[in-house]
Amino acid sequence: MAEQRASTREHEGITALALDGTPNFLDALSELYILQEAAGRWAFSKGLDLRGDEVCPIDMFDIIGGTGIGGYVIFFQMNYNGFDFYGSFYAVLFVSLKMTIQQTIRSHAILEQRLFSSDAWNNKVQQPCTETLSAALDEIVQVFEIETSLDSPFEEKNVQTKCFVCTINPAAASSYRLLRNYRPRTSQGPRCTIRQVIHATLSNHVQLPAVCIEEERFLSALNGYANPTHVLVKELGNAYARGTHVACLANVGAGDLGVRTLVNQENAEELAGLLRSCQLVADDVATQCHDLGPFFSRLSVPSGLGQEPDSLENDVSRVKGLTMAYLSAGETSTRLDDLEEKLRERFGVVSIERLSQLSL
């Protein structure tokens, strides 16, 4: 695996991935299956003897950013007016803990069962807390025999892929802060451990409380930042030298323009608006980048997943089936082929200077 990984990093141009925050366990899981399919096509094109779920995203991307569960994969779950939003959890698992997509899917299930199952929602006496989250994270580290300590500094010295997570500072709710695993040319921001970053991206006012890092309180990011693509474009200029070329800007997320199924939830119109905003951000980026070459890829979670609680086993099976059917559709399959080609060749097609001129 190490030899295969080393050979894949010889390329021109930066490849970047933005992972949306999503409203529930089902959509967040669908994001992983979308990424798994893209990884499988990439591995096949590279001649690697790996399934898509065996790929480490750090072998595909040079920088990964996310919000909510996108941050956990980059981190995990957040809440907005009573709704849970996955986002930042994934990026951190991918980058700081160097997990494969398969391991992340399994870790997602562990957290869902331990923290955010229907029993957790219905049992108001035993609401999840930071101690419960830490125990669940320790279980993940043990199950997958991860060598990196959750209490290690988030700023990793031995990871090539850069990772950042969007979080909300409740003292200035209209603004966001970035927690990064690297030192950009701008200020680094709060020093924190991997465990603290995960807590910050999963915190919400209903379940997990806000986390305090260096006397500054952080909430999980959403509130208009469910799609971190705008932030990712700006961060490229902070993280890399001028003159660097960007080969691929990919965005996987929950936003879509179709009808969502919202069962027994209040403020459904507001939530649906947030979901649509994810897609609108992607459309805006695509419009502004249209003259820079075909380097922007957007893949959305399929509509119709729903939010009605079911058994975890049934949920996983249904989400995988719906997602794979969505990915096999002609238009989506073509977008996946285009993304695979960009990742495989990694030729720089647009400079960071030109990206920085966009009015994002």
Side-chain angles (χ1 to χ4, degrees):
M1 180 70 143
E3 290 185 6
Q4 290 179 331
R5 177 171 299 169
S7 65
T8 61
R9 297 307 297 255
E10 298 173 2
H11 62 271
E12 296 182 46
I14 298 300
T15 54
L17 172 66
L19 293 160
D20 288 4
T22 73
N24 58 45
F25 168 70
L26 306 183
D27 283 358
L29 188 59
S30 184
E31 282 194 12
L32 292 179
Y33 286 124
I34 291 173
L35 196 58
Q36 172 183 300
E37 180 67 14
R41 298 188 184 203
W42 170 82
F44 179 79
S45 71
K46 299 288 293 185
L48 301 176
D49 187 20
L50 295 172
R51 300 191 312 270
D53 61 355
E54 296 174 322
V55 171
C56 289
I58 59 176
D59 295 336
M60 299 170 60
F61 297 98
D62 297 288
I63 181 168
I64 301 176
T67 62
I69 194 76
Y72 160 74
V73 103
I74 298 184
F75 286 136
F76 201 36
Q77 188 165 17
M78 61 184 126
N79 188 285
Y80 179 83
N81 287 350
F83 295 104
D84 291 315
F85 292 88
Y86 296 84
S88 295
F89 189 45
Y90 296 145
V92 174
L93 295 192
F94 287 160
V95 179
S96 292
L97 303 186
K98 308 177 186 67
M99 294 177 68
T100 65
I101 297 173
Q102 180 185 62
Q103 290 173 330
T104 304
I105 290 174
R106 290 176 60 192
S107 72
H108 192 139
I110 290 173
L111 282 177
E112 173 67 15
Q113 290 174 318
R114 290 283 297 267
L115 295 177
F116 304 110
S117 65
S118 57
D119 290 338
W121 275 105
N122 295 330
N123 189 345
K124 301 301 181 182
V125 178
Q126 298 180 357
Q127 282 293 298
C129 60
T130 54
E131 290 77 12
T132 308
L133 172 60
S134 284
L137 294 173
D138 289 336
E139 179 182 347
I140 290 171
V141 169
Q142 182 177 6
V143 166
F144 298 112
E145 299 180 346
I146 296 170
E147 296 181 359
T148 303
S149 169
L150 289 168
D151 296 310
S152 298
F154 183 50
E155 186 177 347
E156 296 285 341
K157 303 295 185 182
N158 59 344
V159 179
Q160 285 182 288
T161 299
K162 295 174 172 30
C163 166
F164 72 85
V165 173
C166 302
T167 61
I168 293 294
N169 180 348
S174 61
S175 66
Y176 62 89
R177 291 291 301 274
L178 298 183
L179 301 177
R180 308 176 175 98
N181 78 326
Y182 59 94
R183 186 177 297 278
R185 293 181 299 136
T186 57
S187 61
Q188 168 67 14
R191 297 290 186 270
C192 47
T193 66
I194 295 172
R195 190 187 301 271
Q196 285 178 311
V197 176
I198 293 177
H199 282 189
T201 59
L202 303 188
S203 298
N204 60 69
H205 65 281
V206 174
Q207 294 188 344
L208 297 173
V211 65
C212 184
I213 300 174
E214 294 187 349
E215 300 182 355
E216 184 173 359
R217 294 177 67 247
F218 289 89
L219 297 170
S220 292
L222 192 67
N223 297 353
Y225 303 103
N227 188 317
T229 306
H230 280 172
V231 181
L232 179 60
V233 170
K234 295 177 182 177
E235 192 64 8
L236 288 171
N238 292 329
Y240 296 96
R242 299 297 177 183
T244 302
H245 286 85
V246 179
C248 174
L249 180 62
N251 176 215
V252 179
D256 64 72
L257 300 179
V259 177
R260 307 294 301 184
T261 301
L262 302 171
V263 181
N264 298 325
Q265 300 281 14
E266 298 177 357
N267 301 326
E269 291 185 4
E270 186 172 6
L271 175 59
L274 283 171
L275 288 169
R276 285 192 296 271
S277 72
C278 292
Q279 185 67 46
L280 292 175
V281 169
D283 291 343
D284 182 30
V285 173
T287 299
Q288 296 195 49
C289 295
H290 75 277
D291 64 333
L292 301 180
F295 80 105
F296 179 74
S297 297
R298 164 69 177 178
L299 293 163
S300 296
V301 170
S303 60
L305 294 179
Q307 291 186 278
E308 188 171 9
D310 199 351
S311 72
L312 183 62
E313 182 178 355
N314 289 342
D315 277 347
V316 170
S317 177
R318 180 164 62 93
V319 169
K320 184 174 183 180
L322 285 171
T323 304
M324 299 313 293
Y326 161 79
L327 292 173
S328 65
E331 181 181 351
T332 305
S333 184
T334 299
R335 290 204 302 273
L336 272 172
D337 287 340
D338 291 341
L339 175 59
E340 173 267 311
E341 182 177 356
K342 297 166 194 169
L343 288 171
R344 173 168 49 85
E345 297 184 358
R346 290 178 177 244
F347 293 132
V349 296
V350 59
S351 67
I352 286 179
E353 283 92 337
R354 295 197 67 189
L355 282 180
S356 67
Q357 295 170 4
L358 300 178
S359 56
L360 299 177

Coordinates of all heavy atoms in Angstrom, one line a residue, residues 248-335:
C248 N -7.9 20.0 -10.3 CA -9.3 19.5 -10.1 C -9.8 20.1 -8.8 O -9.2 20.2 -7.8 CB -9.2 18.0 -10.0 SG -10.8 17.3 -9.5
L249 N -11.1 20.6 -8.9 CA -11.8 21.1 -7.8 C -13.1 20.3 -7.7 O -14.0 20.5 -8.6 CB -12.1 22.6 -7.9 CG -12.9 23.3 -6.8 CD1 -12.1 23.2 -5.5 CD2 -13.1 24.8 -7.1
A250 N -13.2 19.4 -6.8 CA -14.4 18.5 -6.7 C -15.2 18.9 -5.5 O -14.7 19.2 -4.4 CB -14.0 17.1 -6.6
N251 N -16.5 18.7 -5.6 CA -17.5 19.0 -4.5 C -18.5 17.9 -4.4 O -19.2 17.7 -5.4 CB -18.1 20.4 -4.7 CG -19.2 20.7 -3.7 OD1 -20.2 21.4 -4.0 ND2 -19.0 20.3 -2.4
V252 N -18.5 17.2 -3.3 CA -19.5 16.2 -3.0 C -20.4 16.7 -1.9 O -20.0 17.1 -0.9 CB -18.9 14.9 -2.6 CG1 -19.9 13.8 -2.4 CG2 -17.9 14.4 -3.7
G253 N -21.8 16.6 -2.1 CA -22.6 17.2 -1.1 C -24.1 16.9 -1.2 O -24.5 16.2 -2.1
A254 N -24.8 17.5 -0.2 CA -26.2 17.1 0.0 C -27.2 18.0 -0.8 O -28.3 17.6 -0.9 CB -26.5 17.3 1.5
G255 N -26.7 19.1 -1.3 CA -27.6 20.0 -2.0 C -28.2 19.5 -3.3 O -27.4 18.8 -4.0
D256 N -29.4 19.6 -3.5 CA -30.0 19.3 -4.8 C -31.3 20.1 -5.0 O -31.8 20.6 -4.1 CB -30.3 17.8 -5.0 CG -31.4 17.3 -4.0 OD1 -32.5 17.7 -4.2 OD2 -31.0 16.6 -3.0
L257 N -31.7 20.2 -6.3 CA -32.8 21.1 -6.6 C -34.1 20.3 -6.6 O -35.2 20.8 -6.9 CB -32.6 21.7 -7.9 CG -31.4 22.6 -8.0 CD1 -31.2 23.3 -9.4 CD2 -31.4 23.7 -6.9
G258 N -34.0 19.0 -6.2 CA -35.2 18.1 -6.2 C -36.0 18.3 -4.9 O -35.6 19.0 -4.0
V259 N -37.1 17.5 -4.7 CA -37.9 17.5 -3.5 C -37.3 16.6 -2.5 O -36.9 15.5 -2.8 CB -39.3 17.1 -3.8 CG1 -40.1 17.0 -2.5 CG2 -40.0 18.1 -4.8
R260 N -37.1 17.1 -1.3 CA -36.6 16.2 -0.2 C -37.8 15.7 0.6 O -38.8 16.3 0.7 CB -35.7 17.0 0.7 CG -34.6 17.8 0.0 CD -33.6 16.9 -0.6 NE -33.0 16.0 0.4 CZ -32.0 15.1 0.1 NH1 -31.5 15.0 -1.1 NH2 -31.5 14.4 1.1
T261 N -37.6 14.5 1.2 CA -38.6 13.9 2.1 C -38.3 14.3 3.5 O -37.3 13.9 4.0 CB -38.6 12.4 1.9 OG1 -38.9 12.1 0.6 CG2 -39.7 11.8 2.8
L262 N -39.2 15.1 4.1 CA -39.0 15.5 5.5 C -40.2 15.0 6.3 O -41.3 15.5 6.2 CB -39.0 17.1 5.6 CG -37.9 17.7 4.7 CD1 -38.0 19.2 4.7 CD2 -36.5 17.4 5.2
V263 N -39.9 14.0 7.2 CA -40.9 13.4 7.9 C -41.0 13.9 9.4 O -40.0 13.8 10.1 CB -40.7 11.8 7.9 CG1 -41.8 11.1 8.7 CG2 -40.6 11.3 6.5
N264 N -42.2 14.3 9.8 CA -42.4 14.7 11.2 C -41.3 15.7 11.7 O -40.8 15.6 12.8 CB -42.4 13.5 12.1 CG -43.5 12.6 11.7 OD1 -44.6 13.0 11.3 ND2 -43.3 11.3 11.9
Q265 N -41.0 16.7 10.9 CA -40.1 17.7 11.3 C -40.7 19.1 11.2 O -41.5 19.4 10.3 CB -38.8 17.7 10.3 CG -38.1 16.4 10.3 CD -37.2 16.2 11.6 OE1 -37.3 17.0 12.5 NE2 -36.3 15.2 11.5
E266 N -40.3 20.0 12.1 CA -40.7 21.4 12.0 C -39.7 22.2 11.1 O -38.6 21.8 10.9 CB -40.8 22.0 13.4 CG -41.8 21.3 14.3 CD -41.8 21.8 15.7 OE1 -41.0 22.7 16.0 OE2 -42.6 21.4 16.5
N267 N -40.2 23.3 10.7 CA -39.3 24.2 10.0 C -38.8 23.6 8.7 O -37.7 23.8 8.3 CB -38.1 24.7 10.8 CG -38.6 25.5 12.0 OD1 -39.6 26.2 12.0 ND2 -37.8 25.4 13.1
A268 N -39.7 22.8 8.1 CA -39.2 22.0 6.9 C -38.8 22.9 5.7 O -37.9 22.6 5.0 CB -40.4 21.1 6.4
E269 N -39.5 24.0 5.6 CA -39.2 24.9 4.5 C -37.8 25.5 4.7 O -37.0 25.7 3.7 CB -40.3 26.0 4.4 CG -41.6 25.5 3.9 CD -42.6 26.7 3.7 OE1 -42.2 27.8 3.9 OE2 -43.7 26.4 3.3
E270 N -37.5 25.9 5.9 CA -36.2 26.4 6.2 C -35.1 25.4 5.9 O -34.0 25.8 5.3 CB -36.1 26.9 7.7 CG -34.8 27.6 8.0 CD -34.9 28.2 9.4 OE1 -35.9 28.0 10.1 OE2 -34.0 29.0 9.7
L271 N -35.3 24.2 6.3 CA -34.3 23.2 6.1 C -34.1 22.9 4.6 O -33.0 22.8 4.1 CB -34.7 21.9 6.8 CG -33.8 20.7 6.5 CD1 -32.3 21.0 6.9 CD2 -34.3 19.4 7.2
A272 N -35.2 22.8 3.9 CA -35.2 22.6 2.4 C -34.4 23.8 1.7 O -33.7 23.5 0.8 CB -36.6 22.5 1.8
G273 N -34.6 25.0 2.2 CA -33.8 26.1 1.7 C -32.3 26.0 1.9 O -31.5 26.3 1.0
L274 N -31.9 25.5 3.1 CA -30.5 25.2 3.3 C -30.0 24.2 2.4 O -28.8 24.3 1.9 CB -30.3 24.8 4.8 CG -30.4 25.9 5.9 CD1 -30.4 25.3 7.2 CD2 -29.2 26.8 5.7
L275 N -30.7 23.1 2.2 CA -30.3 22.1 1.2 C -30.1 22.6 -0.2 O -29.1 22.4 -0.8 CB -31.3 21.0 1.2 CG -31.4 20.1 2.5 CD1 -32.6 19.2 2.4 CD2 -30.1 19.2 2.6
R276 N -31.0 23.4 -0.6 CA -30.9 24.0 -1.9 C -29.7 25.0 -2.0 O -29.1 25.0 -3.1 CB -32.2 24.8 -2.3 CG -33.4 23.8 -2.7 CD -34.5 24.6 -3.3 NE -35.1 25.6 -2.4 CZ -36.1 25.4 -1.5 NH1 -36.6 24.2 -1.5 NH2 -36.6 26.3 -0.7
S277 N -29.4 25.6 -0.9 CA -28.3 26.6 -1.0 C -27.0 25.8 -1.3 O -26.1 26.4 -1.9 CB -28.2 27.3 0.4 OG -27.7 26.5 1.4
C278 N -26.8 24.6 -0.8 CA -25.6 23.8 -1.2 C -25.4 23.7 -2.7 O -24.3 23.9 -3.2 CB -25.7 22.4 -0.6 SG -25.6 22.4 1.2
Q279 N -26.5 23.4 -3.4 CA -26.5 23.3 -4.8 C -26.2 24.7 -5.5 O -25.5 24.8 -6.5 CB -27.7 22.7 -5.4 CG -27.7 22.4 -6.8 CD -26.7 21.3 -7.2 OE1 -26.7 20.3 -6.6 NE2 -25.9 21.6 -8.2
L280 N -26.9 25.7 -4.9 CA -26.7 27.0 -5.5 C -25.3 27.5 -5.4 O -24.8 28.2 -6.3 CB -27.7 28.0 -4.8 CG -29.2 27.8 -5.0 CD1 -30.0 28.7 -4.2 CD2 -29.5 27.9 -6.5
V281 N -24.6 27.2 -4.3 CA -23.2 27.6 -4.2 C -22.4 26.9 -5.3 O -21.5 27.5 -5.9 CB -22.6 27.2 -2.8 CG1 -21.1 27.3 -2.8 CG2 -23.3 28.1 -1.7
A282 N -22.6 25.6 -5.5 CA -21.9 24.8 -6.5 C -22.2 25.4 -7.9 O -21.3 25.5 -8.7 CB -22.3 23.4 -6.4
D283 N -23.5 25.7 -8.1 CA -23.8 26.3 -9.4 C -23.1 27.7 -9.6 O -22.7 28.0 -10.8 CB -25.3 26.5 -9.5 CG -26.1 25.2 -9.6 OD1 -25.4 24.2 -9.9 OD2 -27.3 25.2 -9.4
D284 N -23.0 28.4 -8.6 CA -22.4 29.7 -8.6 C -20.9 29.6 -9.0 O -20.3 30.3 -9.8 CB -22.5 30.5 -7.3 CG -21.9 31.9 -7.3 OD1 -21.9 32.5 -8.4 OD2 -21.4 32.3 -6.3
V285 N -20.2 28.6 -8.3 CA -18.8 28.4 -8.6 C -18.6 27.9 -10.0 O -17.7 28.3 -10.7 CB -18.3 27.3 -7.6 CG1 -16.8 26.9 -8.0 CG2 -18.3 27.9 -6.2
A286 N -19.5 27.0 -10.5 CA -19.4 26.5 -11.8 C -19.5 27.6 -12.8 O -18.8 27.6 -13.9 CB -20.4 25.4 -12.1
T287 N -20.5 28.5 -12.6 CA -20.7 29.6 -13.5 C -19.5 30.5 -13.6 O -19.1 30.9 -14.7 CB -21.9 30.4 -13.1 OG1 -23.1 29.6 -13.1 CG2 -22.2 31.6 -14.0
Q288 N -18.9 30.8 -12.4 CA -17.8 31.8 -12.4 C -16.5 31.1 -13.0 O -15.6 31.8 -13.4 CB -17.5 32.3 -11.0 CG -18.7 33.1 -10.5 CD -18.3 33.9 -9.2 OE1 -17.3 34.5 -9.2 NE2 -19.1 33.8 -8.2
C289 N -16.5 29.8 -12.9 CA -15.3 29.1 -13.4 C -15.4 28.5 -14.8 O -14.5 27.8 -15.3 CB -14.9 27.9 -12.5 SG -14.5 28.4 -10.8
H290 N -16.5 28.9 -15.5 CA -16.7 28.2 -16.8 C -15.7 28.5 -17.8 O -15.4 27.7 -18.7 CB -18.1 28.6 -17.3 CG -18.2 30.0 -17.9 ND1 -18.3 31.1 -17.1 CD2 -18.1 30.5 -19.2 CE1 -18.3 32.2 -17.8 NE2 -18.2 31.9 -19.1
D291 N -15.0 29.7 -17.7 CA -14.0 30.0 -18.7 C -12.6 29.6 -18.3 O -11.6 29.9 -19.0 CB -14.0 31.5 -18.9 CG -13.6 32.3 -17.7 OD1 -13.8 31.8 -16.6 OD2 -13.0 33.4 -17.9
L292 N -12.5 28.9 -17.1 CA -11.2 28.5 -16.7 C -10.8 27.0 -17.1 O -9.8 26.5 -16.7 CB -11.1 28.6 -15.1 CG -11.3 30.0 -14.6 CD1 -11.2 30.0 -13.0 CD2 -10.4 31.0 -15.1
G293 N -11.7 26.4 -17.8 CA -11.5 25.0 -18.2 C -12.4 24.1 -17.4 O -12.9 24.4 -16.3
P294 N -12.5 22.9 -17.8 CA -13.4 21.9 -17.2 C -12.8 21.2 -16.0 O -12.4 20.0 -16.0 CB -13.7 20.9 -18.3 CG -12.4 20.9 -19.1 CD -11.9 22.3 -19.0
F295 N -12.5 22.0 -14.9 CA -11.8 21.4 -13.8 C -12.7 21.3 -12.5 O -12.3 20.8 -11.5 CB -10.6 22.2 -13.4 CG -10.9 23.5 -12.6 CD1 -10.6 23.5 -11.3 CD2 -11.4 24.6 -13.2 CE1 -10.8 24.7 -10.6 CE2 -11.6 25.7 -12.5 CZ -11.4 25.8 -11.2
F296 N -14.0 21.9 -12.6 CA -14.9 21.8 -11.4 C -15.9 20.7 -11.6 O -16.5 20.6 -12.6 CB -15.6 23.2 -11.3 CG -16.6 23.1 -10.1 CD1 -16.1 23.2 -8.8 CD2 -17.9 23.1 -10.3 CE1 -17.0 23.2 -7.7 CE2 -18.8 23.0 -9.3 CZ -18.4 23.1 -8.0
S297 N -16.0 19.8 -10.6 CA -16.9 18.7 -10.6 C -17.8 18.8 -9.4 O -17.4 18.9 -8.3 CB -16.2 17.4 -10.6 OG -15.4 17.2 -11.7
R298 N -19.1 18.7 -9.6 CA -20.1 18.7 -8.5 C -20.9 17.4 -8.6 O -21.5 17.0 -9.6 CB -21.0 19.8 -8.7 CG -22.3 19.8 -7.8 CD -22.1 19.9 -6.4 NE -23.3 19.9 -5.6 CZ -23.4 20.0 -4.3 NH1 -22.3 20.0 -3.6 NH2 -24.5 20.0 -3.7
L299 N -20.9 16.6 -7.5 CA -21.7 15.4 -7.4 C -22.6 15.5 -6.2 O -22.1 15.7 -5.0 CB -20.8 14.2 -7.3 CG -20.0 13.9 -8.5 CD1 -18.9 12.9 -8.2 CD2 -20.9 13.3 -9.6
S300 N -24.0 15.5 -6.4 CA -24.9 15.7 -5.3 C -25.5 14.4 -4.8 O -25.7 13.4 -5.6 CB -26.1 16.6 -5.8 OG -25.6 17.9 -6.1
V301 N -25.8 14.3 -3.5 CA -26.5 13.2 -3.0 C -27.9 13.1 -3.7 O -28.6 14.1 -3.9 CB -26.7 13.4 -1.4 CG1 -27.7 12.4 -0.9 CG2 -25.4 13.4 -0.7
P302 N -28.3 11.9 -4.1 CA -29.6 11.7 -4.8 C -30.8 12.1 -3.9 O -30.7 11.9 -2.7 CB -29.6 10.2 -5.1 CG -28.7 9.6 -4.1 CD -27.6 10.6 -3.9
S303 N -31.8 12.7 -4.4 CA -33.0 13.0 -3.7 C -33.8 11.8 -3.4 O -33.7 10.7 -4.0 CB -33.9 14.0 -4.5 OG -34.3 13.4 -5.7
G304 N -34.7 11.9 -2.4 CA -35.6 10.7 -2.1 C -35.0 9.8 -1.0 O -35.6 8.8 -0.7
L305 N -33.9 10.1 -0.3 CA -33.4 9.3 0.7 C -34.3 9.3 1.9 O -34.5 8.3 2.6 CB -32.0 9.7 1.1 CG -30.9 9.5 0.0 CD1 -29.5 10.0 0.6 CD2 -30.8 8.1 -0.4
G306 N -34.9 10.5 2.2 CA -35.8 10.6 3.3 C -35.1 10.7 4.7 O -33.9 10.6 4.8
Q307 N -35.9 11.0 5.7 CA -35.3 11.1 7.1 C -36.1 10.3 8.1 O -35.8 10.4 9.3 CB -35.4 12.6 7.5 CG -34.5 13.5 6.7 CD -34.5 14.9 7.2 OE1 -35.4 15.7 6.9 NE2 -33.5 15.2 8.0
E308 N -37.0 9.4 7.7 CA -37.7 8.7 8.7 C -36.9 7.6 9.3 O -36.2 6.8 8.5 CB -39.0 8.0 8.0 CG -39.9 7.3 9.0 CD -41.2 6.9 8.3 OE1 -41.3 6.9 7.1 OE2 -42.1 6.5 9.0
P309 N -36.8 7.5 10.6 CA -35.9 6.5 11.2 C -36.2 5.1 10.8 O -37.4 4.7 10.7 CB -36.1 6.7 12.7 CG -36.7 8.1 12.8 CD -37.5 8.3 11.6
D310 N -35.2 4.3 10.6 CA -35.4 2.8 10.3 C -34.2 2.1 10.9 O -33.4 2.7 11.6 CB -35.3 2.7 8.7 CG -35.9 1.3 8.3 OD1 -36.2 0.5 9.2 OD2 -36.1 1.1 7.1
S311 N -34.2 0.8 10.8 CA -33.0 0.1 11.4 C -31.8 0.5 10.6 O -31.8 0.8 9.4 CB -33.2 -1.4 11.3 OG -33.1 -1.8 9.9
L312 N -30.7 0.5 11.3 CA -29.4 0.9 10.7 C -29.1 0.0 9.5 O -28.6 0.5 8.4 CB -28.3 0.9 11.7 CG -26.9 1.3 11.3 CD1 -27.0 2.8 10.8 CD2 -25.9 1.1 12.4
E313 N -29.3 -1.2 9.6 CA -29.0 -2.2 8.5 C -29.8 -1.9 7.3 O -29.3 -1.8 6.2 CB -29.2 -3.6 9.0 CG -28.9 -4.7 7.9 CD -29.1 -6.1 8.4 OE1 -29.4 -6.3 9.6 OE2 -28.9 -7.0 7.6
N314 N -31.1 -1.6 7.5 CA -32.0 -1.3 6.3 C -31.6 0.1 5.7 O -31.6 0.2 4.5 CB -33.4 -1.2 6.8 CG -34.0 -2.6 7.1 OD1 -33.4 -3.6 6.7 ND2 -35.1 -2.7 7.8
D315 N -31.2 1.0 6.6 CA -30.8 2.3 6.1 C -29.6 2.2 5.2 O -29.6 2.8 4.1 CB -30.5 3.3 7.3 CG -31.7 3.9 7.9 OD1 -32.8 3.8 7.3 OD2 -31.6 4.5 9.0
V316 N -28.6 1.5 5.7 CA -27.4 1.4 4.9 C -27.6 0.8 3.6 O -27.1 1.2 2.5 CB -26.3 0.7 5.7 CG1 -25.1 0.3 4.8 CG2 -25.9 1.4 6.9
S317 N -28.4 -0.3 3.6 CA -28.7 -1.0 2.3 C -29.5 -0.1 1.3 O -29.2 -0.1 0.1 CB -29.5 -2.3 2.6 OG -29.8 -3.0 1.4
R318 N -30.5 0.6 1.9 CA -31.3 1.4 1.0 C -30.5 2.6 0.4 O -30.6 3.0 -0.7 CB -32.5 2.0 1.8 CG -33.4 2.9 1.0 CD -34.8 3.0 1.7 NE -34.6 3.6 3.0 CZ -34.8 4.9 3.2 NH1 -35.0 5.7 2.2 NH2 -34.7 5.4 4.5
V319 N -29.7 3.2 1.3 CA -28.9 4.4 0.8 C -27.9 4.0 -0.2 O -27.7 4.6 -1.2 CB -28.2 5.0 2.0 CG1 -27.1 6.1 1.5 CG2 -29.2 5.7 2.9
K320 N -27.2 2.8 0.0 CA -26.3 2.3 -1.0 C -27.0 2.1 -2.3 O -26.4 2.4 -3.4 CB -25.6 1.1 -0.5 CG -24.5 0.6 -1.4 CD -23.7 -0.5 -0.9 CE -22.5 -0.9 -1.8 NZ -21.8 -2.1 -1.2
G321 N -28.1 1.4 -2.3 CA -28.9 1.1 -3.5 C -29.3 2.3 -4.3 O -29.1 2.4 -5.5
L322 N -29.8 3.3 -3.6 CA -30.3 4.6 -4.2 C -29.1 5.3 -4.8 O -29.2 5.9 -5.9 CB -31.1 5.4 -3.2 CG -32.5 5.0 -2.9 CD1 -33.0 5.8 -1.7 CD2 -33.4 5.1 -4.1
T323 N -28.0 5.4 -4.0 CA -26.8 6.1 -4.5 C -26.2 5.5 -5.7 O -25.9 6.2 -6.7 CB -25.8 6.2 -3.3 OG1 -26.4 6.8 -2.2 CG2 -24.6 7.1 -3.8
M324 N -26.1 4.2 -5.7 CA -25.5 3.5 -6.9 C -26.3 3.6 -8.1 O -25.9 3.8 -9.2 CB -25.2 2.0 -6.6 CG -24.2 1.8 -5.4 SD -22.7 2.8 -5.4 CE -21.9 2.1 -6.9
A325 N -27.7 3.6 -7.9 CA -28.6 3.8 -9.0 C -28.4 5.2 -9.6 O -28.4 5.5 -10.8 CB -30.0 3.6 -8.6
Y326 N -28.3 6.2 -8.7 CA -28.0 7.6 -9.1 C -26.7 7.7 -9.9 O -26.7 8.4 -10.9 CB -28.0 8.5 -7.8 CG -27.4 9.8 -7.9 CD1 -28.1 10.9 -8.5 CD2 -26.1 10.0 -7.4 CE1 -27.5 12.1 -8.6 CE2 -25.5 11.3 -7.5 CZ -26.2 12.3 -8.1 OH -25.6 13.6 -8.2
L327 N -25.7 7.1 -9.4 CA -24.4 7.2 -10.0 C -24.3 6.5 -11.4 O -23.5 6.8 -12.2 CB -23.3 6.6 -9.1 CG -23.0 7.4 -7.8 CD1 -22.1 6.6 -6.9 CD2 -22.5 8.7 -8.1
S328 N -25.2 5.5 -11.6 CA -25.2 4.8 -12.9 C -26.0 5.5 -14.0 O -25.9 5.2 -15.1 CB -25.8 3.4 -12.7 OG -27.2 3.5 -12.4
A329 N -26.7 6.6 -13.6 CA -27.4 7.4 -14.6 C -26.4 8.1 -15.5 O -25.3 8.4 -15.2 CB -28.2 8.5 -13.9
G330 N -26.8 8.2 -16.8 CA -25.9 8.7 -17.8 C -25.2 10.0 -17.5 O -24.0 10.0 -17.6
E331 N -25.9 11.0 -17.1 CA -25.3 12.3 -16.9 C -24.3 12.3 -15.7 O -23.2 12.8 -15.8 CB -26.3 13.4 -16.6 CG -25.7 14.8 -16.3 CD -26.8 15.8 -16.0 OE1 -28.0 15.5 -16.2 OE2 -26.5 16.9 -15.6
T332 N -24.7 11.6 -14.6 CA -23.9 11.5 -13.4 C -22.6 10.6 -13.7 O -21.5 10.9 -13.3 CB -24.6 10.9 -12.2 OG1 -25.8 11.7 -12.0 CG2 -23.8 10.9 -11.0
S333 N -22.8 9.5 -14.4 CA -21.7 8.7 -14.8 C -20.7 9.4 -15.6 O -19.5 9.2 -15.4 CB -22.2 7.4 -15.5 OG -21.2 6.5 -15.8
T334 N -21.2 10.3 -16.5 CA -20.2 11.1 -17.3 C -19.4 12.0 -16.4 O -18.2 12.2 -16.6 CB -21.0 11.9 -18.4 OG1 -21.7 10.9 -19.2 CG2 -20.1 12.7 -19.2
R335 N -20.1 12.6 -15.5 CA -19.4 13.5 -14.6 C -18.3 12.8 -13.7 O -17.2 13.3 -13.5 CB -20.4 14.2 -13.6 CG -21.3 15.3 -14.3 CD -21.8 16.3 -13.3 NE -22.5 15.7 -12.2 CZ -23.8 15.5 -12.2 NH1 -24.5 15.7 -13.3 NH2 -24.4 15.0 -11.2

